Amino acid sequence: MPGFELFGDKERKELNDVLDNGILMRYGFDGMRKGHWKAKDLEKTLESKLQVKHAQVVSSGTAAVSVAMAAAGIGSGDEVIMPTFTFVASFEAIMMLGAVPVLVDIDNTLTLDPKAVEAAITPKTKAIMPVHMCGSMANMDALQAICKKHNLILIEDSSQATGATYKGKPLGSIGDLGCLSLDFVKIITAGEGGAVLTNNEKFYTNSDHFSDHGHDHKGNDRGAETHPFLGYNFRISELHAAVGLAQLRRLDEFVAIQKKNYSILREALSTIPEITFRTVPEGGEESYSFLSFFLPDLDIARKASKVLKDSGVDACFHYYDNNWHYIRKWNHLKDIKSLYPISSEVKSGLKYLQTKTFEQSDHYIARNISCLIKLSWTEEQVRERAQLMVHAITSTLNK
Ligand SMILES: *Cc1c(COP(=O)(O)O)cnc(C)c1O
């Protein structure tokens, strides 16, 4: 990862189809597009590859999460349970609809802890959103059981784990709705883009209309279409969809390369007794986008992170000190630094963040280092990297 590392002729060919006829929009202009429908093809290919009845491609992964929630009727004042460790997009997408993000601890899977989820359910809870971070997944059986018991909607954010599976099913196809991102740094990229996945007919129709101003997409005259309900514009362009289509066809190739590189690094790090690896739920198969492990304590993790960097091992993240992915540094959320007035429901709904602590999440994130697995490395480079990593970590441990 990321898929852009191997951008090449296949991506250029799909792009050139679009450039040849100049129809950059995904809807309409039937006569002029010479049979090229890249966004539609991308949706069909997602449906077959990710084993889901419907895919709606949109402009970003963040948009996908908002569209999925709107499609399921989540809005003003509703509570959505999400993890403390994720990308800022998770709470942004929830708050865009006037709903309240309820942050909940993670466990040794680096994703939602089912016990913490159950403890956070209130009469206002509408949905649970696990985020499959760094190429692996949440315990989907446990979360599905909770959703069933409390009649909640399950929305998977598999933006960072496209290509991973749980009990044989692709991530994103298991919940009521799945979301993925095709942004520039994901395992497959469209430059910018995302998708909503669902087996639910109504959620699909809602996503299709909502992401295009509420258009019903009946017939082939956009001006004559009706609007059964309000929507926004979260459309993807044909240019982006073309790149995404070529990359999606290469997903298995990318996962295989990552698995090979990941396995070499993991085997090397396994020789260090102080290291434990993140837990992958039973029946899960990672996308191998990251190798994530735990060190004995925060101090060692901080030092190891620095020694790794200084030894030239790039792209290893210590998220405890990172501004993007962990609650600890999200002061703009805690202080609700909004450009415009925020509804009183969201304001009072977020008050808990002023005082709440997340010791259990800290326990894992403080000690975690996650290293990106690249597609462009040669085997020699991976072996050299493995040696550098082992040396950096053992020298930190022995200090
Ligand atoms: C990248 C990402 C998103 C958002 O994707 P964009 O396409 O950049 O909007 C959402 N959730 C997670 C976990 C991500 O990593």
Side-chain angles (χ1 to χ4, degrees):
M1 179 166 115
F4 75 70
E5 290 177 272
L6 300 186
F7 184 95
D9 289 344
K10 291 179 174 129
E11 288 76 6
R12 266 190 290 277
K13 187 206 159 283
E14 296 301 322
L15 267 173
N16 281 334
D17 285 346
V18 179
L19 293 174
D20 282 347
N21 63 38
I23 304 303
L24 311 185
M25 179 159 175
R26 67 158 301 177
Y27 296 113
F29 306 93
D30 300 26
M32 294 160 71
R33 56 199 313 142
K34 301 189 190 123
H36 294 304
W37 298 89
K38 298 304 177 187
K40 279 193 185 28
D41 287 352
L42 176 54
E43 286 165 353
K44 290 289 157 246
T45 311
L46 279 169
E47 287 161 6
S48 66
K49 261 201 131 34
L50 299 184
Q51 298 167 35
V52 70
K53 268 199 200 134
H54 301 288
Q56 176 67 40
V57 172
V58 293
S59 51
S60 73
T62 313
V65 180
S66 284
V67 170
M69 288 185 186
I74 294 163
S76 182
D78 292 336
E79 291 179 0
V80 178
I81 291 175
M82 58 166 270
T84 52
F85 175 50
T86 174
F87 182 51
V88 289
S90 302
F91 61 76
E92 290 168 356
I94 295 168
M95 287 169 70
M96 210 206 76
L97 300 168
V100 178
V102 174
L103 274 68
V104 160
D105 272 323
I106 57 151
D107 60 20
N108 58 6
T109 64
L110 294 179
T111 66
L112 275 180
D113 172 10
K115 282 196 290 299
V117 168
E118 195 146 27
I121 294 171
T122 76
K124 288 185 179 169
T125 309
K126 261 282 186 65
I128 297 176
M129 181 168 72
V131 182
H132 304 306
M133 285 298 278
C134 303
S136 183
M137 69 223 70
N139 183 337
M140 292 305 291
D141 277 357
L143 294 176
Q144 261 180 327
I146 293 170
C147 285
K148 211 165 168 193
K149 181 170 156 199
H150 296 272
N151 196 23
L152 302 172
I153 291 161
L154 183 58
I155 301 173
E156 291 175 79
D157 180 346
S158 58
S159 295
Q160 290 201 13
T162 307
T165 58
Y166 177 75
K167 302 200 168 167
K169 288 187 188 153
L171 294 188
S173 73
I174 301 163
D176 298 293
L177 291 138
C179 306
L180 56 90
S181 165
L182 301 170
D183 84 17
F184 193 56
V185 295
K186 299 303 201 277
I187 180 168
I188 50 169
T189 184
E192 297 284 1
V196 179
L197 312 174
T198 185
N199 289 308
N200 180 307
E201 217 61 50
K202 184 153 172 46
F203 292 169
Y204 164 65
T205 308
N206 287 350
S207 303
D208 168 89
H209 296 12
F210 183 76
S211 58
D212 184 26
H213 306 293
H215 274 279
D216 67 11
H217 297 145
K218 291 201 177 111
N220 55 9
D221 176 4
R222 274 177 75 76
E225 290 175 10
T226 67
H227 305 93
F229 47 77
L230 297 166
Y232 280 105
N233 176 4
F234 292 120
R235 289 189 309 260
I236 194 167
S237 81
E238 285 287 277
L239 288 169
H240 292 91
V243 178
L245 176 62
Q247 289 252 305
L248 176 59
R249 291 187 184 130
R250 305 179 67 185
L251 178 60
D252 298 339
E253 173 197 339
F254 292 176
V255 171
I257 295 171
Q258 289 179 175
K259 184 172 183 175
K260 191 167 153 254
N261 293 344
Y262 168 110
S263 303
I264 293 170
L265 296 177
R266 180 162 177 148
E267 198 186 308
L269 293 193
S270 299
T271 59
I272 305 174
E274 290 89 345
I275 283 187
T276 52
F277 294 95
R278 73 119 40 107
T279 300
V280 177
E282 202 189 318
E285 165 113 30
E286 299 180 67
S287 67
Y288 305 100
S289 293
F290 289 83
L291 177 61
S292 302
F293 54 90
F294 301 108
L295 289 165
D297 60 42
L298 171 61
D299 187 47
I300 293 172
R302 267 197 180 127
K303 284 181 183 145
S305 170
K306 183 172 184 313
V307 178
L308 282 167
K309 246 182 227 121
D310 295 345
S311 337
V313 178
D314 64 339
C316 283
F317 306 104
H318 183 225
Y319 290 112
Y320 191 76
D321 291 330
N322 171 298
N323 292 336
W324 265 28
H325 293 278
Y326 188 52
I327 173 74
R328 203 168 82 87
K329 297 276 191 93
W330 292 341
N331 290 328
H332 65 312
L333 171 67
K334 294 177 200 168
D335 301 337
I336 320 184
K337 294 270 191 213
S338 174
L339 287 178
Y340 50 86
I342 289 272
S343 79
S344 55
E345 277 108 333
V346 173
K347 255 192 199 151
S348 61
L350 283 177
K351 273 216 179 87
Y352 72 98
L353 285 178
Q354 295 295 327
T355 49
K356 194 166 167 60
T357 53
F358 295 95
E359 280 93 5
Q360 184 180 312
S361 301
D362 285 343
H363 173 72
Y364 293 106
I365 294 298
R367 298 177 301 118
N368 164 248
I369 291 181
S370 287
C371 297
L372 193 67
I373 303 295
K374 292 200 184 163
L375 294 164
S376 54
W377 290 330
T378 63
E379 185 169 334
E380 198 187 342
Q381 284 172 322
V382 184
R383 296 206 180 273
E384 189 186 313
R385 187 178 170 91
Q387 273 189 349
L388 287 172
M389 287 177 77
V390 169
H391 186 260
I393 294 167
T394 40
S395 70
T396 310
L397 286 163
N398 293 336
K399 235 179 226 151

